[in-house]
Amino acid sequence: MTSTTSFTSPASVVVFTTPTPVIEHDAELATHDYRRQLQHEISQDLKTLSKVNTVKGLLAVCADWAVISVAIYLAISIPHPLVCLVAMTAIATRQHALLIIMHDASHFRLVSTKTVNDIISNCMLAYPMLIRTDSYRRNHLAHHRHTNTDDDPDWVRKSGHSEWEFPKTRGELLAMLTRDLLGGGFISSLRAVHSLGAKRDSQRGTIDRGMLAFWGIIGGALLVTGTWTYAFLLWFIPAWTILPVILRTRSIAEHFGLANTHELNASRNYHCNWIETAIFAPHNVSYHLDHHLFPSVPFYNLPQLHSRLMEQKLYAEHSHQSDGLFGMRRASVEQDVSPMANAQA
């Protein structure tokens, strides 16, 4: 068990826990089963909000791929560095958006039929990013069951690494994200691909035939048409440079710089402006606390779930809500993870 560090800013006291949570909290709050009580209070709404709407999910997938297609078309049609940069950025944001929907599919929230859910998720969301839906599911469900503990694979993977220790100064945060942008996130991307792209059943081997067939077809088409250089520039380069910046920012926003003493402050919601939403928080992923409480609710129903939860005094008083990602004059994620910069302002 490791120690807990408190840092006092002009606005509040922020408690940082690294790497495992230490509960130093009022006994009543520490033992309170918030999730169960909230589930009881909104049980009827929860049943309605948990229903899968296949049309909404697939329309979101198609919309993301449409943006990617337009960006690729413009980058090829208008061979200008600025156009290419804008296209690469747009593609990276939609790669992230596809991963968010794949995350929903890992909870079987894309299509009601589980087999069809995974086929569509793999072919349209996971395989293009060189990962597998079921491999991601194993990791992610363990994260849900054991959030921010030694049994949480996400938490363990980041524990002991200085880059995931907070608080940090604003300069340290910027340097870390710049390193990712310049290719430093490439190694972490490879590790993620390896851990989430392989099977765990030794009798069936580690190579997924579906992914092999998928990339065999795509790779063959790229070679025959002579467009593999475009694929490398417009698909893989954004995935190895811009996407890691987005993923790190979102990961920090979801579980770091938090008191982590009970289930309503072990993750947060961060209510973004439209620019932050377009880049870092597509498909309502910023309602992360609400998703942890009730993962049965698909992404398109999270705003309604949040509105219903805010009507509950228990949730309204004890949940961690941030007013966006960046901003030192409001209750943003940046204030939580970089209070030193806030104190100096």
Side-chain angles (χ1 to χ4, degrees):
M1 189 72 70
T2 57
S3 62
T4 301
T5 302
S6 297
F7 184 90
T8 305
S9 71
S12 61
V13 176
V14 182
V15 182
F16 300 90
T17 309
T18 307
T20 54
V22 178
I23 297 180
E24 298 176 357
H25 199 54
D26 181 86
E28 181 181 356
L29 293 180
T31 59
H32 206 316
D33 190 340
Y34 289 122
R35 189 197 315 263
R36 184 171 298 179
Q37 183 167 340
L38 289 170
Q39 183 174 2
H40 174 73
E41 295 294 333
I42 66 168
S43 59
Q44 293 303 315
D45 296 290
L46 195 57
K47 290 179 182 178
T48 300
L49 293 173
S50 296
K51 293 180 179 179
V52 173
N53 187 321
T54 301
V55 173
K56 285 186 178 181
L58 294 183
L59 282 177
V61 174
C62 292
D64 289 334
W65 277 111
V67 172
I68 291 170
S69 300
V70 170
I72 292 173
Y73 173 78
L74 291 176
I76 295 174
S77 302
I78 309 173
H80 188 280
L82 184 58
V83 175
C84 184
L85 179 60
V86 171
M88 292 170 68
T89 302
I91 289 168
T93 67
R94 293 312 91 192
Q95 288 173 331
H96 178 225
L98 293 174
L99 289 174
I100 297 305
I101 302 178
M102 188 272 292
H103 155 266
D104 252 42
S106 75
H107 289 283
F108 298 108
R109 299 293 87 191
L110 181 57
V111 178
S112 299
T113 305
K114 291 184 176 181
T115 301
V116 177
N117 177 91
D118 279 14
I119 291 174
I120 294 176
S121 178
N122 278 332
C123 292
M124 300 189 71
L125 309 170
Y127 287 167
M129 302 305 298
L130 299 176
I131 61 177
R132 294 171 45 83
T133 303
D134 60 337
S135 295
Y136 175 82
R137 180 181 294 123
R138 280 193 297 269
N139 179 91
H140 186 65
L141 295 188
H143 164 67
H144 268 268
R145 288 192 296 268
H146 310 289
T147 305
N148 298 357
T149 72
D150 284 338
D151 293 316
D152 176 353
D154 288 347
W155 189 262
V156 170
R157 187 168 56 250
K158 296 165 184 172
S159 297
H161 297 280
S162 60
E163 59 188 323
W164 293 106
E165 293 177 357
F166 297 91
K168 293 186 185 300
T169 66
R170 193 183 304 174
E172 289 171 333
L173 289 171
L174 182 60
M176 183 170 58
L177 296 176
T178 301
R179 185 199 64 192
D180 286 341
L181 182 63
L182 296 177
F186 176 64
I187 299 300
S188 60
S189 298
L190 288 180
R191 289 173 180 167
V193 166
H194 179 266
S195 63
L196 299 178
K199 293 181 179 179
R200 294 291 183 262
D201 187 343
S202 59
Q203 294 181 346
R204 298 176 64 185
T206 59
I207 297 177
D208 180 86
R209 293 180 181 177
M211 188 186 296
L212 193 61
F214 176 89
W215 277 107
I217 294 170
I218 297 297
L222 293 174
L223 288 173
V224 169
T225 58
T227 55
W228 65 271
T229 54
Y230 291 121
F232 181 78
L233 177 65
L234 296 173
W235 186 258
F236 289 105
I237 294 300
W240 295 337
T241 57
I242 302 171
L243 181 59
V245 174
I246 296 172
L247 292 176
R248 184 186 293 278
T249 302
R250 179 169 63 82
S251 185
I252 291 171
E254 289 175 349
H255 289 294
F256 290 87
L258 290 160
N260 199 25
T261 54
H262 54 75
E263 58 192 344
L264 293 187
N265 64 21
S267 56
R268 65 161 64 77
N269 294 330
Y270 44 105
H271 306 284
C272 299
N273 59 42
W274 70 270
I275 297 177
E276 291 175 334
T277 297
I279 299 174
F280 299 102
H283 303 312
N284 299 317
V285 73
S286 56
Y287 292 101
H288 194 67
L289 169 59
D290 300 345
H291 166 70
H292 261 268
L293 290 173
F294 302 111
S296 65
V297 177
F299 70 88
Y300 38 81
N301 287 337
L302 287 175
Q304 297 96 307
L305 172 65
H306 180 71
S307 296
R308 189 68 182 89
L309 286 171
M310 286 299 293
E311 296 173 0
Q312 309 304 310
K313 182 179 179 181
L314 176 69
Y315 176 89
E317 291 183 351
H318 297 295
S319 63
H320 192 110
Q321 311 287 331
S322 291
D323 185 17
L325 290 168
F326 308 106
M328 303 310 300
R329 301 186 184 280
R330 53 197 173 98
S332 65
V333 174
E334 185 182 7
Q335 269 194 338
D336 289 342
V337 300
S338 187
M340 291 181 288
N342 194 37
Q344 296 166 1

